[in-house]
Amino acid sequence: EILKESAAQRFAPLFRGTIPLMGHSLASALLGLVGQPKLQKYIQRELGDKTSMGRAATGLIASAVVSPIYVCVTNPLSRLEVIMQTSSISGKAYTVTGAIKEVIADSAKFGLRGIFRGQGIGIAKAVISLTLFHEGRIALQEAFKTYNIDNGHFAPEN
């Protein structure tokens, strides 16, 4: 039914909310793939070298610092996505400006809790998932490096 209704409008309703989604993806990439590793290296240098903390512990600390920033940046964008994507297919689509006005009206009515409601669990989830993502990425990176060294595809510099 949704596809039939969308096809009648040349599938335009399926692309509602893509502008906030692109902003959300950009923020995710910058904070998750750039911010967290740089922060982890700094924390490893400051804490890890002076204490017995390993890579996983410093990664967890770095994720705990980055995650609230990530949630504060991306949550308003997620709210815009939801507003734009949940309007009726046959109804008038929200523009980005219209969705922003809706968020401002919600904020005027409920304050910031209207935007950030329930984000404590979001931050906790982000800390765990970001840490696990980077630990998995590092493990794969080391596995590929070891494979390439063992098979003579790469000679590490001493």
Side-chain angles (χ1 to χ4, degrees), residues 20-70:
L21 179 62
M22 288 186 290
H24 189 263
S25 298
L26 177 65
S28 295
L30 290 175
L31 290 170
L33 296 173
V34 178
Q36 196 273 359
K38 285 185 180 244
L39 188 60
Q40 183 176 2
K41 285 180 184 172
Y42 174 77
I43 291 171
Q44 179 66 44
R45 200 171 48 246
E46 294 298 317
L47 275 179
D49 293 348
K50 296 174 184 166
T51 66
S52 61
M53 285 184 158
R55 186 186 72 214
T58 57
L60 191 62
I61 293 170
S63 295
V65 172
V66 168
S67 294
I69 298 166
Y70 169 81

Side-chain angles (χ1 to χ4, degrees), residues 89-110:
I89 290 176
S90 57
K92 188 173 187 287
Y94 271 100
T95 62
V96 175
T97 307
I100 291 171
K101 287 178 183 176
E102 182 78 23
V103 169
I104 290 170
D106 282 351
S107 295
K109 188 174 181 180
F110 300 108

